[in-house]
Amino acid sequence: MFREEVEAFFRQFQNELCQALETCDGGATFQADVWQHSEGGGGLSRVIQQGNVLEKGGVNFSAVQGQLSPAFLKMLEMPDPAFFATGVSVVLHPHSPMVPITHMNVRYFEAGNGKAWFGGGIDLTPIYLDLKQAQEFHRAMKAVCDKHHPSYYTEFKKWADDYFYNVHRQETRGVGGIFFDRLMATDEITMEERFAFVKDVARAFAPFYTTIMNQNRHLPYNEQQKQWQLIRRGRYVEFNLVYDRGTKFGLATGGRIESILMSLPKHASWEYNFQPATGSPEAKTQEYLKKDIDWINVQ
């Protein structure tokens, strides 16, 4: 069955990614935690903490099935309450404010009536913006997209700008990336071709992020910069708890709470009405937290 092939790839990808991240970090290993879903299936949560680079990170695999509530069915515009869902979700929070937070997710949904689709994305959240790295990141995302369809990068980059956005702050979570959902079969594109794209998105993650880890891991930082990191982490928490679809889906379908909230950092901060000093590196970063920036050609 197609779903079994997809699930098998996601299981293998989780192992490969954890190995790559452990090797790059060089100071900690992922701890595995097997869990079962109340209605069927389950998952494997793998968490790394107090590494050389990574303060906290998770690479979660799940393959679950069940019935959606009528309210959530309507919100997701699902055609049938029965569902099967499998995927891998990744969030990494480094110690250093010089190493960006990152997120990656690839997933497959199948409704009870047989309708199926893929979703996913990758985004980068630097605490201190490095324009060259942001440009290289978007070039890597464009290369993956262009391999499969000429419209993918433009479409999915805009989707990421709109999705990874704290509406109440009127700022993006970071420098965006790509985001896509409900990629179904069409007259032009088969599900096998969608799957090939999703696999390439997954495989692109470790090379670009471990490169950034190695480039930035030894950069010096001070206490003021660490405090800015905690504030930016707070904004990350706000997005994940208020807007993130994966968090909402996990909570609504009886998922395992520790795995769902794996995306939250170990430490974060909220200071009342905090404003970075005019002309500061913090203010410069905040100036770029907006939609529709042409990161490929940014100056």
Side-chain angles (χ1 to χ4, degrees):
M1 291 178 63
F2 184 69
R3 72 157 68 168
E4 293 172 346
E5 180 184 355
V6 175
E7 180 182 338
F9 170 76
F10 287 156
R11 287 183 183 274
Q12 178 184 353
F13 171 64
Q14 183 193 37
N15 289 332
E16 293 173 354
L17 179 56
C18 287
Q19 289 172 6
L21 292 171
E22 284 180 353
T23 298
C24 185
D25 182 88
T29 58
F30 280 89
Q31 304 302 306
D33 194 2
V34 179
W35 54 273
Q36 300 297 318
H37 189 269
S38 59
E39 294 188 64
L44 175 62
S45 295
R46 300 186 66 179
V47 175
I48 189 169
Q49 297 186 92
Q50 298 306 115
N52 287 339
V53 180
L54 299 172
E55 180 176 282
K56 180 187 176 187
V59 180
N60 286 349
F61 164 81
S62 62
V64 299
Q65 55 192 359
Q67 297 279 326
L68 291 173
S69 68
F72 206 70
L73 186 71
K74 182 178 180 180
M75 187 179 84
L76 281 182
E77 299 179 352
M78 290 273 282
D80 190 286
F83 77 91
F84 168 80
T86 185
V88 175
S89 180
V90 184
V91 176
L92 302 172
H93 292 283
H95 289 286
S96 170
M98 302 303 157
V99 183
I101 303 167
T102 191
H103 152 267
M104 191 278 298
N105 173 269
V106 283
R107 58 190 181 274
Y108 171 79
F109 284 89
E110 193 174 291
N113 67 351
K115 283 188 177 290
W117 58 85
F118 286 101
I122 302 177
D123 72 299
L124 194 67
T125 305
I127 308 303
Y128 286 92
L129 177 64
D130 182 318
L131 286 176
K132 183 172 183 291
Q133 286 181 345
Q135 184 179 64
E136 290 172 348
F137 164 62
H138 274 271
R139 284 176 175 168
M141 295 300 97
K142 187 175 187 299
V144 172
C145 290
D146 288 351
K147 178 181 174 182
H148 293 272
H149 199 280
S151 72
Y152 273 2
Y153 176 73
T154 300
E155 179 182 351
F156 299 160
K157 189 266 186 189
K158 176 172 173 40
W159 207 336
D161 282 353
D162 292 339
Y163 180 71
F164 298 113
Y165 188 70
N166 268 332
V167 178
H168 60 284
R169 298 281 188 184
Q170 297 187 351
E171 64 182 31
T172 56
R173 188 164 82 173
V175 300
I178 58 172
F179 179 81
F180 50 90
D181 201 7
R182 294 183 179 268
L183 296 190
M184 301 182 183
T186 68
D187 292 340
E188 180 189 12
I189 305 172
T190 67
M191 282 300 283
E192 287 74 17
E193 289 170 328
R194 298 290 201 193
F195 186 29
F197 167 65
V198 168
K199 287 191 284 188
D200 280 350
V201 169
R203 290 168 175 155
F205 180 75
F208 96 78
Y209 191 66
T210 55
T211 296
I212 291 178
M213 286 173 66
N214 286 328
Q215 287 174 344
N216 294 19
R217 65 194 296 161
H218 298 304
L219 295 177
Y221 60 90
N222 57 35
E223 184 58 30
Q224 177 182 331
Q225 291 167 322
K226 188 68 179 175
Q227 290 304 309
W228 172 243
Q229 179 194 45
L230 296 179
I231 290 170
R232 295 310 313 166
R233 283 180 177 180
R235 304 292 172 87
Y236 202 93
V237 170
E238 290 174 20
F239 176 86
N240 279 24
L241 294 182
V242 176
Y243 302 110
D244 186 74
R245 294 180 188 175
T247 302
K248 291 181 178 180
F249 181 82
L251 294 174
T253 56
R256 182 173 179 269
I257 192 65
E258 287 298 321
S259 300
I260 295 167
L261 298 184
M262 168 277 298
S263 64
L264 304 185
K266 185 175 180 180
H267 302 288
S269 178
W270 288 265
E271 292 190 26
Y272 183 75
N273 198 28
F274 178 85
Q275 300 294 328
T278 302
S280 67
E282 294 80 10
K284 180 181 178 182
T285 295
Q286 192 154 324
E287 287 174 5
Y288 280 92
L289 299 180
K290 56 188 178 182
K291 300 180 183 181
D292 303 322
I293 293 176
D294 179 6
W295 291 105
I296 298 291
N297 300 300
V298 70
Q299 298 295 324

Coordinates of all heavy atoms in Angstrom, one line a residue, residues 29-89:
T29 N 23.3 12.5 22.7 CA 22.6 11.6 21.8 C 21.1 11.8 22.0 O 20.6 12.3 23.1 CB 23.0 10.2 22.1 OG1 22.7 9.9 23.5 CG2 24.4 9.9 21.8
F30 N 20.3 11.4 21.0 CA 18.8 11.4 21.1 C 18.3 10.3 22.0 O 18.8 9.2 21.9 CB 18.2 11.3 19.8 CG 18.2 12.5 19.0 CD1 19.3 12.8 18.1 CD2 17.1 13.4 19.0 CE1 19.3 14.0 17.4 CE2 17.1 14.6 18.2 CZ 18.2 14.9 17.4
Q31 N 17.4 10.7 22.9 CA 16.8 9.7 23.8 C 15.4 9.3 23.1 O 14.6 10.2 22.7 CB 16.5 10.2 25.2 CG 17.8 10.7 25.9 CD 18.9 9.6 26.0 OE1 18.6 8.5 26.5 NE2 20.1 9.9 25.5
A32 N 15.2 8.0 23.0 CA 14.0 7.5 22.3 C 12.8 7.3 23.3 O 13.1 6.8 24.4 CB 14.3 6.3 21.5
D33 N 11.6 7.6 22.9 CA 10.4 7.4 23.7 C 9.3 6.9 22.9 O 8.7 7.7 22.1 CB 10.1 8.7 24.4 CG 9.1 8.6 25.5 OD1 8.7 7.5 25.8 OD2 8.7 9.6 26.1
V34 N 8.9 5.6 23.0 CA 7.9 5.0 22.2 C 6.5 5.3 22.9 O 6.4 5.2 24.1 CB 8.1 3.5 22.0 CG1 6.9 2.9 21.2 CG2 9.4 3.2 21.4
W35 N 5.5 5.7 22.1 CA 4.2 5.9 22.6 C 3.1 5.4 21.7 O 3.3 5.2 20.5 CB 4.0 7.4 22.9 CG 4.2 8.3 21.7 CD1 5.4 8.9 21.3 CD2 3.2 8.7 20.7 NE1 5.2 9.6 20.1 CE2 3.9 9.5 19.8 CE3 1.8 8.5 20.6 CZ2 3.2 10.1 18.7 CZ3 1.2 9.1 19.6 CH2 1.8 9.9 18.6
Q36 N 1.9 5.1 22.3 CA 0.8 4.6 21.6 C -0.3 5.6 21.6 O -0.5 6.3 22.6 CB 0.3 3.3 22.3 CG 1.4 2.2 22.3 CD 1.8 1.7 20.9 OE1 1.0 1.6 20.0 NE2 3.1 1.5 20.8
H37 N -1.0 5.7 20.4 CA -2.2 6.6 20.3 C -3.4 5.8 20.8 O -3.6 4.6 20.6 CB -2.4 7.0 18.9 CG -3.4 8.1 18.7 ND1 -4.7 7.8 18.4 CD2 -3.3 9.4 18.7 CE1 -5.4 8.9 18.3 NE2 -4.6 9.9 18.5
S38 N -4.3 6.5 21.5 CA -5.5 5.9 22.1 C -6.4 5.2 21.1 O -7.1 4.2 21.4 CB -6.3 6.9 22.8 OG -6.7 8.0 22.0
E39 N -6.5 5.7 19.8 CA -7.3 5.1 18.8 C -6.6 4.2 17.8 O -7.3 3.4 17.1 CB -8.1 6.2 18.0 CG -9.0 7.0 18.9 CD -9.8 8.0 18.0 OE1 -10.6 7.5 17.2 OE2 -9.7 9.2 18.2
G40 N -5.3 4.3 17.8 CA -4.6 3.4 16.9 C -3.3 4.0 16.4 O -3.2 5.2 16.2
G41 N -2.3 3.1 16.3 CA -1.0 3.6 15.9 C -0.2 4.2 17.1 O -0.5 3.9 18.3
G42 N 0.7 5.0 16.8 CA 1.6 5.7 17.8 C 2.8 6.4 17.2 O 2.7 6.8 16.0
G43 N 3.8 6.4 17.9 CA 5.0 7.1 17.4 C 6.2 6.9 18.2 O 6.2 6.1 19.2
L44 N 7.3 7.5 17.7 CA 8.6 7.5 18.4 C 9.1 8.9 18.5 O 9.5 9.5 17.5 CB 9.6 6.6 17.6 CG 11.0 6.5 18.1 CD1 11.1 5.9 19.5 CD2 11.9 5.7 17.1
S45 N 9.2 9.4 19.7 CA 9.7 10.7 20.0 C 11.2 10.6 20.3 O 11.6 9.7 21.1 CB 9.0 11.4 21.1 OG 7.6 11.6 20.8
R46 N 12.0 11.4 19.7 CA 13.4 11.3 20.0 C 13.9 12.8 20.3 O 13.7 13.7 19.5 CB 14.2 10.8 18.8 CG 13.8 9.3 18.4 CD 14.6 8.7 17.4 NE 16.0 8.5 17.8 CZ 16.9 7.9 17.0 NH1 16.6 7.6 15.8 NH2 18.1 7.8 17.5
V47 N 14.4 12.9 21.5 CA 14.8 14.3 22.0 C 16.2 14.3 22.4 O 16.8 13.4 23.0 CB 13.9 14.6 23.2 CG1 14.3 15.9 23.8 CG2 12.4 14.6 22.8
I48 N 16.9 15.4 22.0 CA 18.3 15.6 22.4 C 18.3 16.9 23.3 O 17.6 17.9 23.1 CB 19.1 15.8 21.2 CG1 20.6 15.8 21.5 CG2 18.8 17.1 20.4 CD1 21.6 15.8 20.3
Q49 N 19.1 16.8 24.4 CA 19.2 17.9 25.3 C 20.6 18.1 25.8 O 21.4 17.1 25.9 CB 18.3 17.7 26.5 CG 16.8 17.6 26.2 CD 15.9 17.5 27.5 OE1 15.5 18.5 28.0 NE2 15.7 16.3 27.9
Q50 N 21.0 19.3 26.0 CA 22.3 19.7 26.6 C 23.4 19.1 25.8 O 24.4 18.6 26.3 CB 22.4 19.3 28.1 CG 21.3 20.0 28.9 CD 21.4 21.5 28.9 OE1 20.4 22.1 28.4 NE2 22.5 22.1 29.3
G51 N 23.4 19.3 24.5 CA 24.5 18.9 23.6 C 25.5 20.0 23.5 O 25.4 21.1 24.2
N52 N 26.5 19.9 22.7 CA 27.5 20.9 22.5 C 26.9 22.1 21.8 O 27.3 23.3 22.1 CB 28.7 20.4 21.7 CG 29.5 19.4 22.5 OD1 29.5 19.5 23.7 ND2 30.3 18.6 21.8
V53 N 26.0 21.9 20.9 CA 25.3 23.0 20.1 C 23.9 23.1 20.5 O 23.3 24.2 20.7 CB 25.5 22.8 18.6 CG1 24.8 24.0 17.8 CG2 27.0 22.7 18.2
L54 N 23.2 22.0 20.5 CA 21.7 21.9 20.7 C 21.4 21.9 22.2 O 21.7 20.9 22.9 CB 21.1 20.7 20.0 CG 21.4 20.7 18.5 CD1 20.9 19.4 17.9 CD2 20.7 21.9 17.8
E55 N 20.7 22.9 22.7 CA 20.2 22.9 24.0 C 19.0 22.0 24.2 O 18.9 21.2 25.2 CB 19.8 24.3 24.4 CG 19.2 24.4 25.9 CD 18.9 25.9 26.2 OE1 19.9 26.6 26.5 OE2 17.7 26.2 26.2
K56 N 18.1 22.0 23.2 CA 17.0 21.1 23.2 C 16.5 20.9 21.8 O 16.4 21.9 21.0 CB 15.8 21.6 24.0 CG 14.6 20.7 24.1 CD 13.4 21.4 24.8 CE 12.2 20.5 24.7 NZ 11.0 21.2 25.3
G57 N 16.2 19.7 21.4 CA 15.7 19.5 20.0 C 14.9 18.2 20.0 O 15.1 17.3 20.8
G58 N 14.0 18.1 19.1 CA 13.2 16.9 18.9 C 13.1 16.5 17.5 O 13.0 17.4 16.6
V59 N 13.1 15.2 17.2 CA 12.8 14.7 15.9 C 11.7 13.6 16.1 O 12.0 12.5 16.5 CB 14.0 14.1 15.2 CG1 13.7 13.5 13.8 CG2 15.1 15.1 15.1
N60 N 10.5 13.9 15.9 CA 9.3 13.1 16.2 C 8.8 12.4 15.0 O 8.5 13.0 14.0 CB 8.2 13.9 16.9 CG 8.6 14.3 18.3 OD1 9.5 13.8 18.8 ND2 7.8 15.1 18.8
F61 N 8.6 11.1 15.1 CA 7.8 10.3 14.1 C 6.5 9.8 14.7 O 6.4 9.5 15.8 CB 8.6 9.1 13.7 CG 7.8 8.0 12.9 CD1 7.5 8.2 11.6 CD2 7.2 7.0 13.6 CE1 6.7 7.3 10.9 CE2 6.4 6.0 13.0 CZ 6.2 6.2 11.6
S62 N 5.5 9.9 13.8 CA 4.2 9.4 14.3 C 3.5 8.7 13.1 O 3.6 9.1 11.9 CB 3.3 10.5 14.9 OG 3.0 11.5 13.9
A63 N 2.6 7.8 13.4 CA 1.7 7.2 12.4 C 0.5 6.8 13.2 O 0.5 5.8 13.9 CB 2.3 5.9 11.7
V64 N -0.6 7.6 13.1 CA -1.8 7.4 13.9 C -3.0 7.4 13.1 O -3.0 7.9 12.0 CB -1.9 8.5 15.0 CG1 -0.6 8.5 15.9 CG2 -2.0 9.9 14.3
Q65 N -4.1 6.8 13.7 CA -5.4 6.8 13.0 C -6.5 7.0 14.0 O -6.3 6.8 15.2 CB -5.6 5.5 12.2 CG -5.4 4.3 13.0 CD -5.3 3.0 12.1 OE1 -5.4 3.1 10.9 NE2 -5.1 1.9 12.7
G66 N -7.6 7.4 13.6 CA -8.7 7.6 14.5 C -9.9 8.3 13.8 O -10.0 8.3 12.6
Q67 N -10.7 9.0 14.6 CA -11.8 9.8 14.2 C -11.7 11.2 14.7 O -11.5 11.4 15.8 CB -13.1 9.1 14.7 CG -13.4 7.7 14.3 CD -14.0 7.6 12.9 OE1 -14.8 8.5 12.5 NE2 -13.7 6.6 12.1
L68 N -12.0 12.1 13.8 CA -11.9 13.6 14.1 C -13.3 14.0 14.7 O -14.3 13.5 14.2 CB -11.6 14.4 12.9 CG -10.1 14.3 12.4 CD1 -10.0 15.1 11.1 CD2 -9.1 14.8 13.4
S69 N -13.2 14.9 15.6 CA -14.5 15.5 16.1 C -15.1 16.3 15.0 O -14.4 16.8 14.1 CB -14.2 16.4 17.3 OG -13.5 17.5 16.9
P70 N -16.5 16.5 15.1 CA -17.1 17.4 14.1 C -16.6 18.8 14.0 O -16.4 19.3 12.9 CB -18.6 17.4 14.6 CG -18.7 16.1 15.3 CD -17.4 15.9 16.0
A71 N -16.2 19.4 15.1 CA -15.7 20.7 15.0 C -14.3 20.8 14.3 O -14.1 21.7 13.5 CB -15.5 21.3 16.5
F72 N -13.5 19.8 14.7 CA -12.1 19.8 14.0 C -12.2 19.4 12.6 O -11.4 19.8 11.8 CB -11.2 18.9 14.8 CG -9.7 19.3 14.7 CD1 -9.3 20.4 15.3 CD2 -8.9 18.5 14.0 CE1 -7.9 20.8 15.1 CE2 -7.5 18.8 13.8 CZ -7.1 20.0 14.4
L73 N -13.2 18.5 12.3 CA -13.4 18.1 10.9 C -13.7 19.3 10.0 O -13.2 19.4 8.9 CB -14.6 17.1 10.9 CG -14.9 16.4 9.6 CD1 -13.8 15.4 9.2 CD2 -16.2 15.7 9.7
K74 N -14.6 20.1 10.6 CA -14.9 21.3 9.8 C -13.8 22.3 9.7 O -13.5 22.9 8.6 CB -16.1 22.0 10.5 CG -16.6 23.3 9.8 CD -17.8 23.9 10.5 CE -18.3 25.1 9.8 NZ -19.4 25.8 10.5
M75 N -13.0 22.5 10.7 CA -11.8 23.4 10.7 C -10.8 22.9 9.7 O -10.2 23.8 8.9 CB -11.2 23.5 12.1 CG -10.1 24.5 12.2 SD -9.4 24.7 13.8 CE -8.2 23.4 13.8
L76 N -10.6 21.6 9.6 CA -9.6 21.1 8.6 C -10.1 20.9 7.3 O -9.4 20.6 6.3 CB -9.0 19.8 9.2 CG -8.0 19.8 10.3 CD1 -7.6 18.4 10.6 CD2 -6.8 20.6 9.9
E77 N -11.5 21.1 7.1 CA -12.1 20.8 5.8 C -11.8 19.4 5.4 O -11.6 19.2 4.2 CB -11.7 21.8 4.8 CG -12.0 23.3 5.2 CD -11.6 24.3 4.1 OE1 -10.9 23.9 3.2 OE2 -11.9 25.5 4.3
M78 N -11.9 18.5 6.3 CA -11.7 17.1 6.0 C -12.9 16.5 5.4 O -14.0 16.7 5.9 CB -11.2 16.3 7.2 CG -9.9 16.6 7.7 SD -8.6 15.6 6.9 CE -8.8 14.1 7.8
P79 N -12.8 15.6 4.4 CA -14.0 15.1 3.8 C -14.6 13.9 4.5 O -15.7 13.4 4.1 CB -13.5 14.6 2.4 CG -12.1 14.3 2.6 CD -11.6 15.3 3.7
D80 N -13.9 13.4 5.5 CA -14.4 12.2 6.2 C -13.8 12.2 7.6 O -12.6 12.6 7.8 CB -14.0 10.9 5.4 CG -14.6 9.7 6.0 OD1 -14.2 9.2 7.1 OD2 -15.5 9.1 5.3
P81 N -14.5 11.8 8.7 CA -14.0 11.9 10.0 C -12.9 10.9 10.3 O -12.0 11.1 11.1 CB -15.2 11.6 10.9 CG -16.2 10.9 10.0 CD -16.0 11.4 8.7
A82 N -12.8 9.8 9.6 CA -11.8 8.8 9.8 C -10.5 9.3 9.1 O -10.5 10.0 8.1 CB -12.1 7.5 9.1
F83 N -9.4 9.2 9.8 CA -8.1 9.7 9.3 C -7.0 8.7 9.6 O -7.0 8.0 10.6 CB -7.8 11.0 9.8 CG -7.3 11.0 11.2 CD1 -5.9 11.0 11.5 CD2 -8.1 11.1 12.3 CE1 -5.4 11.0 12.8 CE2 -7.7 11.1 13.6 CZ -6.3 11.0 13.8
F84 N -5.9 8.8 8.7 CA -4.6 8.2 9.0 C -3.6 9.3 8.7 O -3.7 10.1 7.8 CB -4.3 7.0 8.1 CG -2.9 6.6 8.1 CD1 -2.4 5.8 9.1 CD2 -2.0 7.0 7.1 CE1 -1.1 5.4 9.2 CE2 -0.7 6.6 7.1 CZ -0.2 5.8 8.2
A85 N -2.7 9.5 9.6 CA -1.7 10.6 9.5 C -0.3 10.0 9.9 O -0.2 9.4 10.9 CB -2.0 11.8 10.3
T86 N 0.7 10.3 9.1 CA 2.0 9.9 9.4 C 3.0 11.0 9.0 O 2.7 11.8 8.1 CB 2.5 8.6 8.8 OG1 3.8 8.2 9.2 CG2 2.5 8.7 7.3
G87 N 4.1 11.2 9.7 CA 5.0 12.2 9.4 C 6.2 12.3 10.4 O 6.3 11.6 11.4
V88 N 7.1 13.2 10.1 CA 8.2 13.6 10.9 C 8.2 15.1 11.2 O 8.1 15.8 10.2 CB 9.5 13.1 10.3 CG1 10.7 13.6 11.2 CG2 9.6 11.6 10.1
S89 N 8.3 15.4 12.4 CA 8.4 16.9 12.8 C 9.6 17.1 13.6 O 10.0 16.4 14.5 CB 7.1 17.2 13.7 OG 7.2 18.6 14.0

